[in-house]
Amino acid sequence: MRVHDNIKEKLAVLPDQPGCYLYKDKHGTVIYVGKSKVLKNRVRSYFTGANDAKTQRLVQEIMDFEYIVTTSELEALILEMNLIKKYDPKYNVLLKDDKTYPYLKITSEKHPKLIVTRNIKKDKGKYFGPYPNVIAARETKRLLDRLYPLRKCNTMPDRVCLYYHMNQCLGPCEFTVTQEQNQNIVNEITKFLNGGHKEIKEELKTKMYQASEGMDFERAKELRDQMQHIDSVMEQQKMTLNDQVNRDVFGYSYNKGWMCVQVFFVRQGKLIERDVSIFPFFDDAEETFLSFIGRFYLHKNHPKPKQVLVPVGADKEMLKELLEVDVHIPMRGRKKELVELAQKNAQIALDEKFSLIEQNEERTIKAVEDLGEKLHIETPHRIEAFDNSNIQGADPVSAMVVFTDGKPDKKEYRKYKIRDVQGPDDYDTMREVIRRRYKRVIKEGLPLPDLILVDGGKGQMTAAQEVLENELGLDIPLCGLAKDDKHRTSELLYGDPPTMVDMDRQSQEFYLIQRIQDEVHRFAISFHRQLRGKGAIQSELDEIPGVGEKRRRLLLKHFKSIEGIKNAEIADFTKLGVPTNVAQGILDYLNQDHEEPHEEEL
């Protein structure tokens, strides 16, 4: 594998100390962050010896690297987590799919509430969980609401509500409730959720007998129902330990550059839920597992339990120092069985999914590589595609989608409202969008694509190429995507003059450009429909400071359209009573470039 000269020079002077290394691509973008006990050995290993195909793809993209020396391996681990969070490198895929679990939370307000939440914050609230699902969390909350009278309302009303009359609230909205009263209830709930529900159940049983002896059978029945509810909510668990300690149990398995980590959540001695993560890795397996655990708590913000159980081989002392909790490697008994069960589940999950994941990854990457070979260009890791949408020139828009290594990168999608082109002129629309996009890319130093695709034939290609080469001085490979009479991808055009690229319609590279064309068309159409919806014209004015409902109607009535407002003079506004500074703000806003990011819908 060819190593660039600047990398060879840096490899020769690497220190034999702990630290972090950052790999960069040809655009200077950080694509991978790693850590090592000995930087010299780890970084050199990427560029010497044999690597698997996955690591080779990473190394092929590395055009430069930098490193940061630390005083200890723990410091390197913490720095690595912070750098990954800062740069979000594409090859550091750990924890990209952030699954959240439901927790019960006692808020830290003057009059606290008990709520179900998935968001863990450092706000002095008390969190309990996780729960297997939101139904289990809500059932537990419903039980506690019946037992302990914390307030239920979000905004306190002027007088007591039904919860007060049901003895499920102390009524702080109308009556004095002391801090001591609230704290006693919080302590009781905390005790209950930390494994004290059996003791609470015994207290209820005593009260039930007392009520029965006192002939208060209605109260006795109510207490009996509460005991039964405790049984149904708190006792339906899967596996148990004898103690009540909250633990997280970690196990992992790896094969061919892929790792699976399973986390068992043990709460009140009971196994209630698990977290499964499968991902490719590029470093030492044990160090990757260590980094995973660190990021699991610090990046995903999971509350730390009293104890963490890990398998033999994990760096227990470093984890203790990093997490500041008890970390244990069990060697016998039930705890060891739980760790082995987590390990076994990790191996099973990896065996089941590994083959399919690797096949999909290799097929997608190979499609990108084969597309580059067909066009006689470098592998197009980043592809940007454009499509226009309008109905007889009305509300013309354009959209751009980005595919990175053959996969849609939706946070990079962009939407454009066409502002300079009058009527249904697809060529001028393409010129405007290409101009606006790549002027911004140059101005802000954003990464350039390896390939540009425009939806359309030779005319759209020529229009885009004129702007790229003649106006912006950019030399980026550009292709046209033509469709047949059934609106299906029919051919890929490339070159000067544009000619059809010979491609097998059953090949993976043809399926790739088909997916890209379908995606950019879908995105453009959805944006166009959004603009045509009710209030679309008004929404643009609503975003301008100083333009309210009344002024917006006045402007549209007088100027007839957004275009009419955009082309007006300051004096035209002042005649309508619009202040000069507001008029200038309207014109500045409407005449600036609005490249709108796309946020993927949940």
Side-chain angles (χ1 to χ4, degrees), residues 254-302:
Y254 61 93
N255 187 18
K256 299 178 183 178
W258 288 81
M259 179 176 288
C260 175
V261 179
Q262 298 241 354
V263 190
F264 288 166
F265 300 119
V266 179
R267 297 297 181 265
Q268 301 170 34
K270 300 174 180 64
L271 175 57
I272 63 169
E273 183 58 285
R274 70 170 178 170
D275 182 283
V276 184
S277 298
I278 300 178
F279 49 86
F281 70 101
F282 301 89
D283 281 334
D284 176 80
E286 284 71 26
E287 289 191 14
T288 299
F289 177 60
L290 185 71
S291 297
F292 179 94
I293 295 178
R295 293 186 64 202
F296 185 81
Y297 291 109
L298 304 182
H299 178 68
K300 291 186 74 170
N301 214 17
H302 279 295

Side-chain angles (χ1 to χ4, degrees), residues 585-596:
I586 294 170
L587 292 175
D588 290 345
Y589 180 86
L590 294 178
N591 287 286
Q592 69 180 345
D593 187 7
H594 294 297
E595 179 189 57
E596 303 185 19

Side-chain angles (χ1 to χ4, degrees), residues 83-94:
L83 291 172
I84 290 172
K85 189 171 184 179
K86 176 181 178 181
Y87 291 108
D88 191 23
K90 70 177 183 179
Y91 283 104
N92 291 95
V93 295
L94 301 186

Side-chain angles (χ1 to χ4, degrees), residues 309-476:
L309 302 183
V310 293
V312 174
D315 195 327
K316 180 177 73 173
E317 297 305 320
M318 184 176 293
L319 282 171
K320 276 186 178 180
E321 195 173 350
L322 175 68
L323 303 178
E324 298 179 339
V325 298
D326 178 30
V327 179
H328 184 55
I329 300 177
M331 304 305 293
R332 63 181 66 85
R334 193 75 185 94
K335 297 174 188 174
K336 181 173 183 288
E337 290 176 11
L338 271 178
V339 172
E340 290 175 344
L341 185 62
Q343 296 275 83
K344 182 179 179 181
N345 275 272
Q347 180 64 57
I348 291 172
L350 200 60
D351 288 345
E352 287 179 349
K353 296 185 178 181
F354 173 75
S355 180
L356 180 59
I357 290 173
E358 187 174 56
Q359 288 174 12
N360 288 341
E361 176 93 355
E362 290 181 352
R363 186 164 56 243
T364 302
I365 290 294
K366 191 170 189 310
V368 177
E369 292 173 347
D370 289 349
L371 179 60
E373 290 181 8
K374 285 284 185 184
L375 301 175
H376 304 292
I377 62 175
E378 292 184 12
T379 301
H381 294 287
R382 181 185 177 94
I383 300 174
E384 297 186 356
F386 297 83
D387 189 17
N388 304 325
S389 179
N390 68 78
I391 296 179
Q392 295 180 341
D395 296 327
V397 300
S398 190
M400 180 194 78
V401 301
V402 177
F403 274 58
T404 303
D405 288 327
K407 298 176 183 177
D409 192 353
K410 295 194 174 183
K411 69 179 184 298
E412 294 286 314
Y413 285 17
R414 294 294 182 267
K415 302 179 290 190
Y416 298 88
K417 297 174 184 175
I418 303 304
R419 63 186 189 193
D420 296 331
V421 180
Q422 302 297 322
D425 190 328
D426 207 34
Y427 300 157
D428 276 350
T429 297
M430 187 62 69
R431 289 188 185 93
E432 176 180 334
V433 172
I434 294 292
R435 183 181 300 114
R436 288 167 60 185
R437 168 62 184 169
Y438 295 107
K439 269 189 175 181
R440 173 162 290 192
V441 167
I442 294 170
K443 180 181 178 182
E444 299 182 8
L446 302 176
L448 288 165
D450 303 302
L451 176 65
I452 296 173
L453 301 179
V454 296
D455 191 87
K458 297 179 181 179
Q460 285 85 352
M461 285 183 66
T462 302
Q465 201 74 53
E466 286 174 356
V467 174
L468 289 171
E469 293 182 357
N470 301 337
E471 295 185 28
L472 304 177
L474 295 175
D475 182 17
I476 302 173

